[in-house]
Amino acid sequence: MEKQNEGVEVVENGNDTLLRKTDAALFAWPWNNLGNYKYLLYGPFLAKFIHSMYWKESMEDIWCLHILVLCALRGLVHQLWSTFSNMLYLNRTRRVSYEGIDYDQIDNEWDWDNFLVLQAIVGSFVYLNFPSLANLPDWDVRGLISCLILHIGISEPLFYWMHKLLHSSYLFPLYHWHHHESKITHPFTAGHGTFLEHLLLCVVIGIPTLGTAFIGYGSISVMYSYILAFDFLRCMGHSNVEIIPHSLYQRVPLLRYVIYCPTYHSLHHQEMKTNFCLFMPLYDMLGNTLNTASWSLHEEISSRTSTDERAPDFVFLAHIVDIMSSMHAPFLFRSFSSVPFSTRLFLLPMWPFAFVVVLTMWLKTKTFLFSFYNIRGRLNQTWIVPRAGFQYFLPFAAEGINKLIEEAILRADRIGVKVISLAALNKNESLNGGGTLFVNKHPNLRVRVVHGNSLTAAVILNEIPRDVNEVFLTGATSKLGRAIALYLARRRVRVLMLTKSTERFMKIQREATVECQKYLVQVTNCKEAKQCKTWIIGKWSTPREQSWAPSGTHFYQFVVPPIIPFRRDCTYGKLAAMRLPKDVTGLGTCEYTMGRGIVHACHAGGLVHLLEGWTHHEVGAIDVDQIDVVWEAALKHGLKPLYNSS
């Protein structure tokens, strides 16, 4: 989309190119500037109900409670559909569009629930002007029939006519482009629109519900059931997951004109010249706007099997970090997963439930698809080993975890994945020798197994200024610690290696050339580094240990999770990471605490392995000679380092 001037941009409407506007009357929501404070607009409803019940000791304002409950249930309907839509491990073969939803679309749809606030306010005006609505019976079967007749006879054709009008060359660039800027449909897309459009939708919903009440057949159950069914079908149509089997349409051909399917509405979002109906394609048929490809595409999508699924080119095999971060998933809270993870208050009540789920996954759960993105025609996926960080340190759990990792590698090999990168504890040296266990056990693997630590080391080393002549290194005898120490020794940097094992220290020192060995120095406690202002942390560091660092020290780190920054007079680097190239598409989730478009260096290392077309495994000890090679390759392919610290 090309920006022309303030308030005007270029937008596509089918085959037409129009100028869209953002300053049309009734385009913006009145509470746009309130942010999350908009939810305070529900406050008067709760206050009025409580006042009526406790001070007036009557239920005359029970309608306030109904509005609040109905809004909560409607929000739940949208959330449950969002959860289902983002469960890629369940529905990936039935997705209408294989493209991913990116950060821009998520941000555009962030306030998808504005319409709930609007309809609560509209509902209150209706109740205040027609007090008899507060005394509706619980049930009246005549109301259900009347509501259905009013919907089919008035709401459906009214919506169809308004929708076509909104696609006109005059109204589309003023209003409806806002809804269609979401190229990949999602349940939240159903609520994404302008203030005017949702005022019109209030009329569409109000005709069957209020009409039924005004003719004397209204009931509370009709109000609830119609409005919730309305939202359910709207979310279904925008879900991007085909759930209606084609065999049902074949057995009952008339049904395809009575109820639409996700494929049907997705075609409208793709072409924007057909399929305008609300829920009933009958009106598109009558209006000659029914896309003739709808049913053949529906048959193709609903008959897909796992064998029809495109195999990813690259897989990043991650795991759950901890219980709290397990809720940082797009199938739980899409908006929350699109920003870096941090502990939020709303997560605390759900911690016990998340803990139970994590333990339940321990019983019988396989590695599952979590997210994906595309780069230069290659499909990259993140798979999750359903184990939390603490489980990796339980001796009796090691065999089961390795079995899950092995099964994932063999599956990747079977379906044609080119590179699989092991994340964090999945490549733990004590668990599987940094992936060596699997490569040795299966020497004929076609998939390349990569731990990505060469690039992790490169990122850390390139963050260290060239004028530094001494560093203090913890986790010094680990895979990364060893590589960092040997590389710095080659740069004639004195490395204070914290380890109590003289044997392990000597083994690493002997790997250095004779002239470089003197730069590797064994220390046994943090006190010996009290004059060194460059600390590289590869092992958890306590506040007492950090206290030995002199003022002005910078802490680089490769420990997961990162250390807590206790020292205010020092600076702390983030975990080694790189920013993905700009031509990545379909990325809408953040990797743990990483920012948008940023991935851990081991993830980036696996991606570089793929883009370079390297055919070797990268497992076990890090080849120090390859650190610069991997670094230059990463830069060549557009990955960028982050030299920020906080």
Side-chain angles (χ1 to χ4, degrees):
M1 240 164 256
E2 180 186 351
K3 190 167 183 179
Q4 302 293 306
N5 51 56
E6 188 174 354
V8 180
E9 294 179 355
V10 172
V11 63
E12 300 292 330
N13 179 20
N15 297 323
D16 302 328
T17 301
L18 306 169
L19 293 179
R20 75 180 191 182
K21 297 184 179 181
T22 58
D23 55 358
L26 299 179
F27 178 91
W29 293 83
W31 44 85
N32 258 359
N33 295 328
L34 294 181
N36 288 335
Y37 290 109
K38 70 183 179 185
Y39 298 113
L40 293 177
L41 295 173
Y42 291 114
F45 294 94
L46 183 60
K48 186 171 179 61
F49 171 70
I50 293 174
H51 179 266
S52 174
M53 188 169 62
Y54 288 101
W55 276 268
K56 292 184 179 181
E57 296 184 352
S58 75
M59 299 296 285
E60 65 181 44
D61 293 324
I62 187 68
W63 61 268
C64 290
L65 181 62
H66 283 306
I67 286 178
L68 290 175
V69 171
L70 198 50
C71 285
L73 290 174
R74 298 179 74 184
L76 181 61
V77 167
H78 283 77
Q79 178 56 53
L80 291 176
W81 268 108
S82 175
T83 292
F84 172 72
S85 178
N86 286 304
M87 285 180 166
L88 301 176
Y89 53 91
L90 287 181
N91 58 43
R92 60 185 181 273
T93 60
R94 297 296 181 91
R95 297 183 71 78
V96 181
S97 172
Y98 278 126
E99 297 300 314
I101 294 176
D102 59 20
Y103 298 118
D104 288 339
Q105 179 170 334
I106 292 173
D107 288 344
N108 290 336
E109 296 175 352
W110 198 277
D111 293 314
W112 63 269
D113 58 346
N114 273 337
F115 77 97
L116 293 177
V117 180
L118 170 65
Q119 293 185 21
I121 295 171
V122 170
S124 69
F125 280 116
V126 172
Y127 271 112
L128 291 172
N129 283 280
F130 302 98
S132 61
L133 293 174
N135 301 312
L136 293 175
D138 292 338
W139 173 257
D140 188 333
V141 69
R142 296 171 301 177
L144 191 61
I145 298 171
S146 301
C147 188
L148 195 58
I149 292 172
L150 289 171
H151 173 82
I152 295 173
I154 301 179
S155 288
E156 281 282 351
L158 177 62
F159 180 90
Y160 175 81
W161 174 79
M162 290 192 305
H163 195 182
K164 282 195 69 177
L165 199 59
L166 285 168
H167 274 270
S168 67
S169 58
Y170 177 71
L171 289 179
F172 188 87
L174 290 177
Y175 299 102
H176 201 48
W177 67 265
H178 191 50
H179 178 71
H180 277 279
E181 68 181 342
S182 300
K183 297 302 181 185
I184 311 301
T185 56
H186 181 274
F188 291 165
T189 309
H192 177 56
T194 62
F195 185 62
L196 174 65
E197 290 174 284
H198 279 285
L199 281 174
L200 296 175
L201 206 58
C202 287
V203 177
V204 173
I205 295 175
I207 289 172
T209 52
L210 297 180
T212 300
F214 290 153
I215 63 177
Y217 298 151
S219 66
I220 294 173
S221 56
V222 165
M223 289 283 187
Y224 274 80
S225 57
Y226 177 80
I227 293 173
L228 292 177
F230 189 95
D231 284 352
F232 182 91
L233 292 174
R234 288 264 293 169
C235 289
M236 183 190 77
H238 288 87
S239 67
N240 194 40
V241 179
E242 189 50 74
I243 65 168
I244 298 179
H246 191 70
S247 58
L248 183 60
Y249 283 157
Q250 288 178 319
R251 285 196 296 268
V252 190
L254 186 62
L255 192 62
R256 68 180 64 183
Y257 299 106
V258 175
I259 185 72
Y260 76 163
C261 59
T263 302
Y264 189 91
H265 192 68
S266 291
L267 275 174
H268 170 72
H269 272 259
Q270 292 170 20
E271 300 183 3
M272 293 190 281
K273 291 293 186 181
T274 57
N275 297 5
F276 293 101
C277 74
L278 178 56
F279 305 132
M280 299 179 66
L282 169 67
Y283 289 95
D284 276 310
M285 184 188 71
L286 295 175
N288 197 31
T289 54
L290 194 153
N291 192 315
T292 55
S294 300
W295 313 127
S296 57
L297 181 60
H298 177 263
E299 181 179 17
E300 185 270 318
I301 293 173
S302 61
S303 61
R304 286 178 191 156
T305 64
S306 58
T307 57
D308 301 317
E309 181 186 1
R310 176 188 172 185
D313 299 281
F314 167 71
V315 167
F316 183 57
L317 188 62
H319 63 81
I320 301 168
V321 177
D322 53 39
I323 305 300
M324 196 66 78
S325 67
S326 68
M327 292 178 275
H328 188 244
F331 50 80
L332 290 179
F333 305 106
R334 187 185 73 159
S335 299
F336 177 52
S337 72
S338 72
V339 296
F341 172 75
S342 61
T343 301
R344 308 285 181 89
L345 287 176
F346 76 89
L347 296 177
L348 296 178
M350 292 180 280
W351 189 95
F353 175 74
F355 181 70
V356 171
V357 171
V358 169
L359 291 184
T360 302
M361 288 195 298
W362 201 346
L363 299 177
K364 190 176 181 181
T365 308
K366 295 183 179 180
T367 299
F368 60 89
L369 173 60
F370 182 78
S371 63
F372 70 95
Y373 63 90
N374 293 277
I375 178 172
R376 299 165 198 170
R378 296 173 174 88
L379 175 61
N380 300 345
Q381 293 181 347
T382 295
W383 296 358
I384 299 293
V385 174
R387 297 293 182 269
F390 73 90
Q391 293 170 304
Y392 283 76
F393 298 98
L394 302 175
F396 59 84
E399 183 179 352
I401 291 173
N402 272 334
K403 184 179 179 182
L404 286 170
I405 298 172
E406 182 180 10
E407 288 174 350
I409 292 173
L410 293 177
R411 178 188 165 207
D413 187 65
R414 187 169 59 252
I415 65 177
V417 176
K418 296 180 177 64
V419 176
I420 184 167
S421 181
L422 306 180
L425 297 174
N426 285 335
K427 59 190 173 194
N428 192 293
E429 195 69 28
S430 61
L431 184 68
N432 51 49
T436 306
L437 172 69
F438 310 116
V439 172
N440 291 342
K441 187 176 180 180
H442 303 283
N444 297 321
L445 285 174
R446 290 169 299 173
V447 64
R448 302 295 94 179
V449 181
V450 174
H451 55 47
N453 281 343
S454 299
L455 188 55
T456 302
V459 170
I460 296 169
L461 290 164
N462 280 278
E463 286 182 353
I464 300 172
R466 289 286 173 175
D467 58 354
V468 169
N469 54 31
E470 182 181 68
V471 302
F472 174 59
L473 176 65
T474 72
T477 59
S478 65
K479 184 161 60 236
L480 266 169
R482 164 194 161 274
I484 290 171
L486 291 172
Y487 187 97
L488 288 173
R490 293 182 182 183
R491 274 174 41 180
R492 304 300 191 265
V493 176
R494 188 167 182 258
V495 184
L496 306 178
M497 299 175 63
L498 179 64
T499 176
K500 293 184 178 180
S501 173
T502 302
E503 180 184 354
R504 295 177 70 178
F505 167 76
M506 293 296 292
K507 182 180 178 181
I508 294 173
Q509 189 183 46
R510 283 193 293 269
E511 289 188 65
T513 59
V514 175
E515 61 271 20
C516 292
Q517 289 181 4
K518 63 182 178 180
Y519 294 101
L520 301 178
V521 180
Q522 181 185 8
V523 296
T524 56
N525 59 69
C526 296
K527 185 178 180 180
E528 297 180 63
K530 62 182 181 180
Q531 301 300 323
C532 180
K533 288 192 173 184
T534 302
W535 285 35
I536 306 174
I537 307 298
K539 187 177 181 181
W540 183 256
S541 179
T542 66
R544 177 172 175 79
E545 289 170 335
Q546 292 181 40
S547 69
W548 290 110
S551 180
T553 294
H554 183 76
F555 291 87
Y556 300 91
Q557 50 187 320
F558 58 91
V559 59
V560 178
I563 61 174
I564 299 173
F566 291 105
R567 296 284 300 275
R568 294 188 177 183
D569 58 340
C570 299
T571 54
Y572 292 79
K574 299 183 183 299
L575 291 176
M578 297 198 81
R579 187 177 297 279
L580 291 171
K582 292 182 179 180
D583 52 353
V584 164
T585 61
L587 181 62
T589 58
C590 285
E591 200 168 276
Y592 192 37
T593 59
M594 298 291 111
R596 289 183 166 186
I598 299 171
V599 296
H600 291 90
C602 57
H603 181 151
L607 179 58
V608 170
H609 210 92
L610 170 73
L611 296 175
E612 279 291 300
W614 288 331
T615 57
H616 64 278
H617 296 291
E618 185 193 342
V619 295
I622 297 172
D623 184 349
V624 181
D625 294 330
Q626 286 296 306
I627 291 176
D628 286 335
V629 174
V630 174
W631 177 252
E632 293 300 327
L635 298 180
K636 180 181 74 174
H637 287 289
L639 286 96
K640 295 183 179 179
L642 308 174
Y643 292 126
N644 301 325
S645 60
S646 60

